[in-house]
Amino acid sequence: MKETTKILVAGVGGQGVVFLTNLLVKAALLADIPVATSEIHGLAQRGGSVTAGITLGEHTYGFLEKGGVDILFGLEPLEAQRCASYLNKNSIAVIDENRILPYSVNSGNAAYPDIKMFVDYLKKNINKVIYNVESPEGINSVQRNLYVLGRTCHEVDFPIQSEFIKKAIAEIVIKDPEEKCLAAFMLGLTKEEIIVESK
Amino acid sequence: MENKVADILTSYSSPHKVSAIGNEAVARGAIEAGVNGVFSYPGTPSTEISEIFNLVSNYQNDSNKNPDDVKNATYFEYSINEKIALEKAIAFSIGNKSALCVMKNVGMNVASDPLMSITYQTIIAPLVIVVCDDPGCHSSSNEQDSRYWGNMASVPVFNPATPAAAYEMTKQAFKLSAELRLPVIVRTTTRVSHTRGMLEYNEINADKREAHFDRMPEHINIPARTATAHQKLLDKLHSETVDPFFKNFNKVHFQGKHKSTAIISSGVSTSYLLEVISRNGLEDQLELLDLGLIFPFPEKDVAAFLQKGFEKVLVVEELDPIIENAVRNIVQKQNLTCQITGKEESQLGNTGEFTLGQIDQVVGDFFQVETIGKTGLNGVSAYDDSLPPRPPALCSGCPHRASYYALKLIVPREDNDVILCGDIGCSGLGALPPLKMIDTINHMGMSISMAQGLSEALKSKKTKVVAMLGDGTFFHSGITSLLNAVYTKANMLVIIFDNRTIGMTGHQDHPGATHLDKYNEIQIEPLVKGMGINFVETLMPFDMKDTYKKIDKAMAQEGVSVLISKAPCVFLPDYKEFTKQDDKIIINHAKCNTCHNHYDHGISCSKKASSGSNLTRAIAKIRATERVDSKDQSCPANICNHGFFNSILEKDYKTALDMVRDKLLFSRTCGDICHRPCELFSNHESNATIPIKQLKKFVSGIDENFNDFSSALNQIEQATPKDKHIAIVGGGPAGLSAAYDLIRDGYEVTVFEKEEAAGGLIKYVIPDFRMDKQGFDVEVSQLAKMGVQFKFNVSLGKEMELEEIANQFDGVIIAIGLGKSNELEAVSSISKSKKYDSMNFLKEYNLKTLAIQPGSKIVVIGGGNSAIDVARSAKRFNEDNEVILSCVETESAMPAFTEEVEHAKEEGVTILANSYVEECTEKGDLKIKLHQFDSKKHLQDINCDYIVVAIGQQGNVEEYATIGDKNLTNGNKIKADKYNGFSNYKNVFVAGDICADNHMSLIGAIGSGKRAVIGIKQKLEGYKYSYEGLNALLHLNHKEKEGAIANPIELEGDITEFIKNFNLFQSCEKCNHCIDNLGCPAMIKVDGKIIIDEPKCTQCGLCIDVCPNDAIAWEKELELVNE
């Protein structure tokens, strides 16, 4: 692992941005990695955009900057695209094709961006893109986030070892059955026929 | 949350490392300091602190969970507002219990009154105030800098940079407060409160305080004491007591020898700087002074730091240059030479939040080094610029949305007659699209003050002002303002959205909370009634009809009125009682965005898709007391009566007229003489019908619109030329209606007319007292302007032969009417000067060539509409004329329209029904022997001057003999296919009275003309649809509905007011109402179709009442209907 890793989690209120952030914090603590976060979630419950920064390593405090993110977790494609300026040529972007249409799109006053075009742009310009278009059956939104996290751990040299993430799931999950959450993570982690978009 | 609490509660002894957000760290610091009581009003970014104490307190006060120590449990309350919170915290301290008071930045404004005076007096036990600022206004109405309160109120202020610092400073703040006997402020910002970092928890102070009250002169604030108290206060602040705290919290990082540059910073800026310095390896080049205790300003420490001899000093702080100014002050006082780089020089500015990247750049510029600032991707702005924003919205199922929606149905937003004053909290989200039901939002509780002030200011205007606020905001600061409104006799409506919680910040308790035994629940209705407000009503917002009624009624009240819209927040457990958890909402796509008026959606429709017009339809759905299905009032010309009616409701009379003209040219003429089958055939059970004819007369009567035929001309311009030429024989209403449809569809059209002008029976036979003749001429004259060619004075069978034109043209429509009047044998011997048939009588009447002596006695024979027209014309020709009408039918069986018969009688025509002319002789005047028709007995003898025979017409077969006998009826009418008017001869179609199945009426003629056009289109273009008005057209020959005539609705006064009780229902293709006007997040549009996002749907059922197309329903209820 390099000295510091900066992760940006982006999504929509209610999607699990805060949950995923807390999970990664827990996993980092278990792995004895210094961790800090910075969140803005005042109006999260009302369906607005939510982002959280997670920084791993000494001398970081959870703060992110444009061009300074190593891993982007976009739990919703439009929100991922909104964070594009935080990426640099070495970044990894994980984009889950789990669209939530904002009102302006619903009402026809704005167009949802062409995500395929954005993914193609990223493929040419950053280190790696994991564009998840699969939704395993019987999975809720929290578990879907874990599935995507599993896929990411499978595909890239994730700074927190999977075993700590598994332990963290066991500790942090409250509402959902723990086994289902673990299973979702493992499904992403071990699935063989995962298609990874790589430069 | 439970975990966090457990964590905070259980780690009593041995120090251990944790990860916590700043707010958790503050709470833990206070717990370790042994806080006894916590008082708070929730507000982001401070809320988590109070939430932790709420849980801690509930836990500690639970004798099951905490059996040993309940008496020492921490007291916690969500106070009614910040002022009360601080006052009660002060009182707690006076009672020798330590207190913590927590609020957001703007809360301190409310709490400032007690703060400003207590400092002149004394507290006893320590009192710490935590204020969380929000640079960047993530969730606040301003980004005020709370550090000023230190200077303003003369209280110490800590300003932590990290969660660890926040923890330590909170803990020490209690200590400092105890030593100074002054409140101490810990001020954080969003980026500290909501940042997670590592820190170490330590032991909890186990010393128990004994509560007591000691009488002290300081507890009484009187002016005589305050002057000296002020000096004592300043002495406290500058005493040596503070020094150790300065030492602890004003730290120098990277100390070294002979450095020429330094940075002074405070708060989160220090964290940014530490990261930037570390990653750029600048530790050797500078010293960094982090100021944690910023008031009283650590003048000695800063002076000592500056005296180290730096050449350049950078000051970094968010918001106002408070530290910078103090540093400059010291530099000047100490006569130092160092150069200060402050906000102006670094361009960091006084607004918003700093970012890591910004600090990196400023540091790079300051040290003139190339920092490893991050670079983004090339061309990224093409992707992240101008993306659709995602603002927060009211939750799906939110009762506020229901209230706002009902208000939207009542309050027109186009004018400024109603001003809507909103307030802080979830209810403020009603300002966002699509609801947009708020004109002002200020600060907590201002809605009620704004409303009473505006209504006073605008007193002379017709303005109604409405204040709208949540229950939390009402309790916080609305009550006193409402009292002021009552007392000053304001004129306003207050709507309180009572969802029994503080929603926006995450459902904290307030006086309306029901779900905790700990609090007394306060009901708003008796509270406001107790203020002396007469009009107070509580409504349940999901009952849309009732909500509409109550808001409508309340809007009309004078003085102060209050509506309480009461339903729990979707996050409260009892919300479920208001919804159907065991059912599911489904959308019937056969009704959603579907037009049932046209099979062929290519047919022109003047109804524009607009959220305003759909809103009108939605209003009708909720407001109307009579709901009529539009298909029960269908028109043989298939006018979209639904769209027509709703355009009038919307006061869009031009569109209403255009919707008529989409189907027929003769709108004003129909308004005059149509026999309104759409009304008479209504199957509506309550007999209620929409007075379509009178409405048509109304919209056609607006000359400006009437004379504007541009919509039809546009249709012609846009039509694809068909390169086919159609001949229409006969320029009456049937032929002209066919011409109107064909020319707008891209056909070439020539009309052949035997008279010298077009118009047929309408022009020559219908008397002028029944209709606006000039208006009809205007309507007819449009056709020539539209490109229809006319050939006048040409008769079939004389100047041209049917076979010939059938060969010449691509299609022919015969609409020549009935050319021959039926003759009455009994009058055959009467001389021509005394005898008329109805046609020539009416023609002479209309052409004003009728030569009848005044005071004549005229007998009209016949019971049809022509007979009635003759009788009425004869009477009107000279009022001294005596007119008798004899017909074989009984009066109720007369073929004439009942209304016309009634008019004739009113005008003085004598009707002798069930009679016939046995004999008519001429001896100077005429002598008629009338017999009773059924019994054949003699009835009476009449001497008269004229007899008019009006017993119908038949076709003049000579004109169209080539068509063949087998295609004719025995009245010489031409048989035609009932679906398309085809005559069975070549390319000839039939319309109007000459057509065998035609109903002898204006609308019958129009409908059959339109039907023949469909026949032409089917034949020439392979058009696949049937005639859209076929059912209503064929239905014309049915008997009129009995009784419908008895009480025709008379329109009175404001026509749109009058019809407000009706909803003429039909689904419409141009509907996007739920998206345009409601915006429930659980309703989304995918590929043009509205669908319910089930995981988001709360089963509140609001959308069912909202849908003007009736396309949304409960699944179970629908199953019942289907069974």
Side-chain angles (χ1 to χ4, degrees):
Chain A
M1 187 188 120
K2 62 175 196 155
E3 277 179 24
T4 65
T5 303
K6 295 201 171 191
I7 302 169
L8 171 55
V9 186
V12 177
Q15 261 198 314
V17 171
V18 174
F19 169 81
L20 191 58
T21 306
N22 289 346
L23 176 76
L24 292 175
V25 167
K26 192 79 199 172
L29 288 174
L30 292 168
D32 210 18
I33 301 168
V35 60
T37 71
S38 176
E39 303 156 18
I40 296 296
H41 49 73
L43 298 169
Q45 236 162 2
R46 311 287 165 263
S49 305
V50 189
T51 58
I54 305 166
T55 61
L56 305 173
E58 298 288 349
H59 303 297
T60 65
Y61 305 88
F63 303 131
L64 307 177
E65 71 214 281
K66 302 270 162 101
V69 161
D70 300 298
I71 302 171
L72 165 66
F73 272 107
L75 306 186
E76 200 278 346
L78 167 58
E79 295 312 313
Q81 188 160 338
R82 208 188 297 284
C83 294
S85 62
Y86 284 83
L87 299 171
N88 61 49
K89 63 181 169 44
N90 297 317
S91 303
I92 294 162
V94 183
I95 300 171
D96 189 8
E97 186 47 83
N98 184 13
R99 293 185 186 206
I100 298 174
L101 304 183
Y103 176 71
S104 54
V105 172
N106 245 335
S107 64
N109 293 324
Y112 198 89
D114 184 339
I115 297 300
K116 193 79 187 64
M117 212 167 95
F118 176 57
V119 168
D120 288 344
Y121 164 78
L122 290 185
K123 275 195 253 170
K124 286 186 200 124
N125 287 281
I126 67 173
N127 181 12
K128 190 171 267 186
V129 182
I130 300 176
Y131 177 44
N132 179 55
V133 293
E134 294 166 38
S135 174
E137 270 184 42
I139 214 164
N140 68 21
S141 75
V142 163
Q143 291 155 9
R144 183 169 175 142
N145 295 341
L146 293 173
Y147 167 74
V148 175
L149 178 63
R151 272 192 67 169
T152 309
C153 292
H154 174 84
E155 281 310 315
V156 304
D157 184 17
F158 198 71
I160 308 170
Q161 294 297 308
S162 301
E163 59 186 292
F164 296 113
I165 296 177
K166 282 191 254 173
K167 273 189 199 164
I169 291 172
E171 285 197 27
I172 206 163
V173 170
I174 305 167
K175 282 185 193 160
D176 279 30
E178 186 188 317
E179 324 79 65
K180 283 203 85 171
C181 292
L182 265 178
F185 178 69
M186 293 306 292
L187 183 66
L189 189 64
T190 56
K191 202 176 166 197
E192 304 238 328
E193 65 276 19
I194 287 170
I195 306 138
V196 174
E197 316 282 2
S198 189
K199 186 156 74 169
Chain B
M1 207 64 190
E2 294 285 348
N3 276 356
K4 286 180 200 165
V5 177
D7 207 19
I8 287 163
L9 287 174
T10 53
S11 48
Y12 273 40
S13 52
S14 60
H16 79 270
K17 232 180 170 184
V18 297
S19 153
I21 64 166
N23 283 345
E24 292 165 5
V26 165
R28 173 69 191 191
I31 287 171
E32 287 186 16
V35 67
N36 300 121
V38 181
F39 305 84
S40 177
Y41 190 83
T44 315
S46 77
T47 311
E48 291 83 0
I49 304 172
S50 59
E51 286 181 326
I52 287 168
F53 279 108
N54 192 24
L55 286 162
V56 165
S57 172
N58 288 344
Y59 178 91
Q60 290 178 340
N61 280 291
D62 186 332
S63 52
N64 293 323
K65 291 178 187 161
N66 186 29
D68 306 330
D69 208 21
V70 169
K71 71 177 168 61
N72 288 316
T74 312
Y75 176 80
F76 172 78
E77 71 174 40
Y78 280 115
S79 308
I80 209 162
N81 63 33
E82 293 88 347
K83 178 172 183 277
I84 311 293
L86 182 54
E87 286 167 347
K88 212 159 162 183
I90 289 168
F92 226 64
S93 160
I94 304 288
N96 198 37
K97 288 282 185 180
S98 63
L100 177 71
C101 188
V102 183
M103 64 198 73
K104 69 181 292 177
N105 57 356
V106 291
M108 201 61 236
N109 306 336
V110 181
S112 62
D113 196 18
L115 178 68
M116 294 303 296
S117 300
I118 191 63
T119 50
Y120 280 46
Q121 300 181 262
T122 190
I123 58 168
I124 305 297
L127 166 60
V128 173
I129 302 166
V130 179
V131 186
C132 301
D133 280 1
D134 192 16
C137 294
H138 295 286
S139 44
S140 304
S141 38
N142 69 42
E143 50 177 8
Q144 64 186 70
D145 193 330
S146 293
R147 294 178 298 167
Y148 282 121
W149 288 114
N151 222 328
M152 182 84 170
S154 302
V155 291
V157 176
F158 285 99
N159 192 42
T162 59
Y167 154 79
E168 190 59 35
M169 286 176 187
T170 308
K171 206 167 151 179
Q172 293 299 316
F174 279 89
K175 193 158 178 252
L176 181 58
S177 173
E179 290 177 21
L180 293 177
R181 292 214 162 180
L182 270 181
V184 173
I185 292 176
V186 176
R187 177 261 190 179
T188 72
T189 56
T190 304
R191 287 286 163 194
V192 175
S193 281
H194 287 174
T195 286
R196 183 178 293 280
M198 307 297 293
L199 58 130
E200 204 164 274
Y201 284 178
N202 288 283
E203 270 183 57
I204 291 174
N205 182 358
D207 298 343
K208 305 295 177 217
R209 283 180 177 276
E210 288 303 322
H212 56 81
F213 173 75
D214 292 336
R215 286 191 189 124
M216 291 169 72
E218 289 92 334
H219 291 332
I220 299 170
N221 193 6
I222 49 171
R225 204 174 285 125
T226 47
T228 52
H230 192 184
Q231 189 54 53
K232 274 188 200 160
L233 167 59
L234 298 183
D235 291 346
K236 271 187 193 177
L237 282 178
H238 298 110
S239 67
E240 286 176 357
T241 317
V242 190
D243 288 349
F245 294 88
F246 283 144
K247 198 165 174 261
N248 272 345
F249 295 108
N250 299 328
K251 282 183 191 149
V252 180
H253 297 262
F254 319 122
Q255 291 207 57
K257 282 178 186 166
H258 311 302
K259 288 186 177 173
S260 62
T261 49
I263 304 177
I264 299 174
S265 71
S266 181
V268 73
S269 305
T270 301
S271 297
Y272 292 132
L273 285 162
L274 288 173
E275 178 164 351
V276 166
I277 290 164
S278 160
R279 79 181 184 200
N280 289 300
L282 296 171
E283 294 91 340
D284 295 340
Q285 297 190 31
L286 63 98
E287 290 192 14
L288 170 66
L289 173 59
D290 170 35
L291 300 180
L293 178 53
I294 53 167
F295 193 84
F297 192 76
E299 201 169 324
K300 277 186 281 179
D301 295 352
V302 174
F305 180 71
L306 291 173
Q307 276 158 355
K308 288 184 177 182
F310 304 112
E311 289 163 23
K312 283 165 60 190
V313 176
L314 171 68
V315 183
V316 184
E317 63 188 313
E318 277 179 342
L319 300 178
D320 293 343
I322 294 173
I323 293 173
E324 179 187 335
N325 290 345
V327 168
R328 288 188 193 276
N329 224 334
I330 292 167
V331 169
Q332 193 203 25
K333 272 202 224 164
Q334 303 287 329
N335 217 4
L336 299 172
T337 53
C338 70
Q339 184 198 334
I340 305 295
T341 300
K343 285 194 174 270
E344 209 176 306
E345 297 79 6
S346 66
Q347 296 186 349
L348 274 170
N350 293 11
T351 61
E353 270 194 317
F354 294 163
T355 63
L356 188 58
Q358 220 177 346
I359 301 296
D360 190 273
Q361 198 185 340
V362 165
V363 168
D365 291 348
F366 183 70
F367 288 98
Q368 293 178 330
V369 292
E370 196 70 33
T371 56
I372 46 169
K374 306 292 176 180
T375 37
L377 304 171
N378 284 332
V380 74
S381 61
Y383 294 90
D384 68 353
D385 270 8
S386 58
L387 287 172
R390 199 188 294 273
L394 290 171
C395 305
S396 53
C398 176
H400 297 352
R401 179 180 282 100
S403 307
Y404 278 124
Y405 177 78
L407 190 64
K408 192 169 196 178
L409 299 185
I410 291 159
V411 177
R413 302 299 282 141
E414 303 82 49
D415 57 37
N416 279 332
D417 279 353
V418 178
I419 303 173
L420 302 174
C421 305
D423 220 308
I424 300 290
C426 282
S427 72
L429 295 174
L432 298 174
L435 292 167
K436 293 210 243 175
M437 290 305 292
I438 297 180
D439 297 318
T440 66
I441 295 180
N442 304 82
H443 55 270
M444 291 285 282
M446 176 60 171
S447 55
I448 298 181
S449 307
M450 180 66 98
Q452 56 188 286
L454 272 178
S455 87
E456 189 61 37
L458 304 171
K459 208 168 191 173
S460 58
K461 304 251 171 85
K462 260 200 324 190
T463 309
K464 181 83 186 179
V465 192
V466 184
M468 305 171 299
L469 71 173
D471 50 347
T473 311
F474 177 70
F475 287 123
H476 179 280
S477 46
I479 296 172
T480 45
S481 186
L482 185 55
L483 262 177
N484 196 70
V486 176
Y487 142 72
T488 57
K489 295 189 173 180
N491 179 24
M492 62 193 279
L493 166 64
V494 180
I495 304 177
I496 302 167
F497 300 110
D498 187 4
N499 66 354
R500 303 274 98 185
T501 191
I502 299 173
M504 182 60 98
T505 47
H507 320 105
Q508 290 79 22
D509 305 319
H510 68 50
T514 55
H515 53 287
L516 280 178
D517 298 340
K518 159 177 180 188
Y519 298 114
N520 268 330
E521 183 185 355
I522 293 169
Q523 295 296 345
I524 296 175
E525 185 168 323
L527 176 66
V528 295
K529 277 187 173 161
M531 291 183 186
I533 298 167
N534 292 326
F535 186 95
V536 180
E537 293 225 35
T538 297
L539 57 89
M540 208 290 277
F542 293 118
D543 182 347
M544 191 43 65
K545 285 203 173 224
D546 185 57
T547 300
Y548 180 93
K549 260 188 232 159
K550 283 181 172 154
I551 298 180
D552 204 27
K553 192 171 152 200
M555 287 294 290
Q557 301 295 315
E558 287 289 319
V560 178
S561 48
V562 172
L563 283 176
I564 301 154
S565 174
K566 193 170 180 183
C569 173
V570 293
F571 290 98
L572 295 185
D574 40 350
Y575 176 78
K576 288 194 165 55
E577 293 166 21
F578 285 74
T579 59
K580 285 196 183 182
Q581 292 302 305
D582 61 338
D583 209 342
K584 195 173 138 184
I585 290 168
I586 54 162
I587 294 182
N588 178 356
H589 286 112
K591 284 186 173 175
C592 175
N593 294 332
T594 308
C595 172
H596 286 295
N597 206 54
H598 307 136
Y599 308 115
D600 173 6
H601 286 201
I603 288 178
S604 61
C605 168
S606 285
K607 183 162 172 62
K608 292 163 207 83
S610 86
S611 74
S613 69
N614 288 319
L615 185 65
T616 306
R617 300 166 63 232
I619 293 169
K621 169 163 174 162
I622 298 300
R623 178 183 55 205
T625 47
E626 290 285 358
R627 182 183 193 276
V628 180
D629 201 320
S630 190
K631 70 174 186 292
D632 284 344
Q633 284 201 245
S634 52
C635 169
N638 204 35
I639 292 166
C640 175
N641 279 337
H642 164 85
F644 168 71
F645 178 76
N646 282 293
S647 299
I648 296 170
L649 277 181
E650 207 191 334
K651 298 188 196 288
D652 182 358
Y653 307 129
K654 178 76 174 78
T655 296
L657 179 62
D658 280 341
M659 294 204 72
V660 175
R661 286 183 174 166
D662 283 338
K663 302 298 167 182
L664 54 83
L665 182 58
F666 305 116
S667 60
R668 187 176 281 184
T669 307
C670 276
D672 285 334
I673 61 168
C674 181
H675 72 292
R676 57 193 180 97
C678 57
E679 298 173 40
L680 305 184
F681 295 143
S682 169
N683 294 319
H684 187 57
E685 39 190 53
S686 80
N687 248 348
T689 55
I690 313 282
I692 296 289
K693 180 181 171 183
Q694 293 182 68
L695 291 172
K696 210 175 282 165
K697 190 176 171 75
F698 168 70
V699 295
S700 306
I702 302 168
D703 281 335
E704 189 190 349
N705 295 341
F706 177 76
N707 291 318
D708 175 7
F709 288 84
S710 57
S711 301
L713 291 167
N714 284 339
Q715 288 166 7
I716 292 165
E717 212 164 273
Q718 281 161 21
T720 317
K722 296 285 194 311
D723 200 23
K724 305 275 185 200
H725 200 157
I726 310 300
I728 294 173
V729 187
L736 296 182
S737 292
Y740 180 61
D741 280 5
L742 287 165
I743 199 82
R744 287 184 302 150
D745 206 24
Y747 285 88
E748 280 180 71
V749 184
T750 300
V751 175
F752 297 94
E753 168 58 47
K754 67 179 177 190
E755 303 285 346
E756 59 197 15
L761 291 188
I762 307 296
K763 182 173 176 66
Y764 291 111
V765 174
I766 305 290
D768 58 1
F769 54 83
R770 280 185 59 199
M771 61 175 285
D772 171 7
K773 289 281 180 184
Q774 283 172 343
F776 180 68
D777 287 344
V778 170
E779 289 172 334
V780 172
S781 69
Q782 297 309 311
L783 288 167
K785 292 178 191 163
M786 291 173 186
V788 174
Q789 298 161 50
F790 285 91
K791 304 254 189 264
F792 295 114
N793 302 311
V794 198
S795 300
L796 200 60
K798 288 181 188 163
E799 286 80 11
M800 58 180 179
E801 292 301 328
L802 185 57
E803 188 175 2
E804 182 191 333
I805 51 171
N807 292 336
Q808 255 174 32
F809 289 87
D810 296 298
V812 178
I813 295 173
I814 301 187
I816 50 179
L818 299 171
K820 245 170 112 176
S821 290
N822 290 332
E823 286 170 17
L824 187 64
E825 189 55 38
V827 299
S828 55
S829 62
I830 305 298
S831 64
K832 282 192 172 174
S833 62
K834 306 249 176 206
K835 176 175 78 174
Y836 288 90
D837 68 39
S838 60
M839 291 299 128
N840 55 36
F841 183 92
L842 287 167
K843 194 169 170 186
E844 285 183 26
Y845 173 82
N846 278 323
L847 296 173
K848 304 200 190 311
T849 56
L850 194 61
I852 284 180
Q853 292 300 313
S856 296
K857 190 167 179 181
I858 302 156
V859 172
V860 183
I861 309 296
N865 284 316
S866 293
I868 296 288
D869 280 346
V870 169
R872 292 181 69 194
S873 304
K875 188 72 191 163
R876 280 166 181 262
F877 187 70
N878 185 295
E879 62 179 33
D880 293 333
N881 287 349
E882 186 186 348
V883 181
I884 296 165
L885 183 143
S886 157
C887 62
V888 293
E889 300 90 354
T890 59
E891 196 175 316
S892 64
M894 285 168 72
F897 301 139
T898 316
E899 277 171 297
E900 291 300 314
V901 176
E902 293 299 321
H903 284 310
K905 282 158 73 176
E906 281 162 21
E907 288 163 10
V909 173
T910 307
I911 293 182
L912 300 173
N914 188 21
S915 69
Y916 71 98
V917 181
E918 171 68 20
E919 191 185 80
C920 182
T921 51
E922 185 175 357
K923 280 177 192 165
D925 56 359
L926 303 177
K927 190 172 187 178
I928 298 172
K929 203 171 266 182
L930 279 187
H931 280 211
Q932 204 160 350
F933 183 69
D934 49 9
S935 67
K936 313 291 177 201
K937 286 180 191 158
H938 177 256
L939 190 66
Q940 66 181 94
D941 291 341
I942 301 169
N943 290 333
C944 67
D945 303 305
Y946 301 98
I947 186 162
V948 185
V949 179
I951 55 170
Q953 293 82 38
Q954 54 176 296
N956 187 0
V957 74
E958 291 152 23
E959 296 176 357
Y960 45 86
T962 43
I963 212 157
D965 285 349
K966 68 176 191 320
N967 291 329
L968 301 177
T969 64
N970 49 16
N972 287 332
K973 291 186 180 184
I974 305 173
K975 291 182 193 164
D977 186 316
K978 74 170 177 178
Y979 295 106
N980 56 26
F982 182 51
S983 71
N984 218 18
Y985 176 77
K986 294 200 174 207
N987 53 0
V988 176
F989 294 79
V990 198
D993 291 351
I994 189 69
C995 180
D997 70 351
N998 185 61
H999 183 262
M1000 306 270 276
S1001 61
L1002 173 59
I1003 198 67
I1006 293 171
S1008 72
K1010 292 175 71 68
R1011 177 179 66 178
V1013 170
I1014 296 302
I1016 298 264
K1017 281 165 69 71
Q1018 287 169 347
K1019 186 172 176 68
L1020 298 183
E1021 340 167 358
Y1023 184 75
K1024 62 182 182 193
Y1025 298 100
S1026 337
Y1027 171 50
E1028 47 178 346
L1030 194 66
N1031 283 342
L1033 182 65
L1034 298 178
H1035 196 68
L1036 279 176
N1037 290 317
H1038 293 204
K1039 184 73 191 116
E1040 290 167 17
K1041 189 177 174 183
E1042 293 298 329
I1045 278 305
N1047 297 305
I1049 297 168
E1050 290 297 332
L1051 293 182
E1052 291 159 0
D1054 182 343
I1055 208 159
T1056 51
E1057 277 301 316
F1058 182 80
I1059 59 176
K1060 266 183 178 176
N1061 292 334
F1062 293 93
N1063 176 20
L1064 186 57
F1065 170 76
Q1066 182 170 287
S1067 59
C1068 179
E1069 189 190 10
K1070 309 211 166 152
C1071 183
N1072 197 35
H1073 175 70
C1074 56
I1075 300 285
D1076 284 347
N1077 286 297
L1078 183 70
C1080 175
M1083 303 182 85
I1084 50 175
K1085 206 169 185 184
V1086 179
D1087 300 330
K1089 280 189 170 179
I1090 311 280
I1091 56 169
I1092 303 272
D1093 186 359
E1094 278 180 28
K1096 276 194 189 155
C1097 178
T1098 62
Q1099 282 102 335
C1100 72
L1102 177 60
C1103 53
I1104 296 173
D1105 287 333
V1106 164
C1107 176
N1109 280 357
D1110 278 3
I1112 310 179
W1114 292 113
E1115 191 175 41
K1116 283 185 182 170
E1117 286 179 14
L1118 208 67
E1119 279 167 8
L1120 279 177
V1121 171
N1122 291 340
E1123 277 165 17

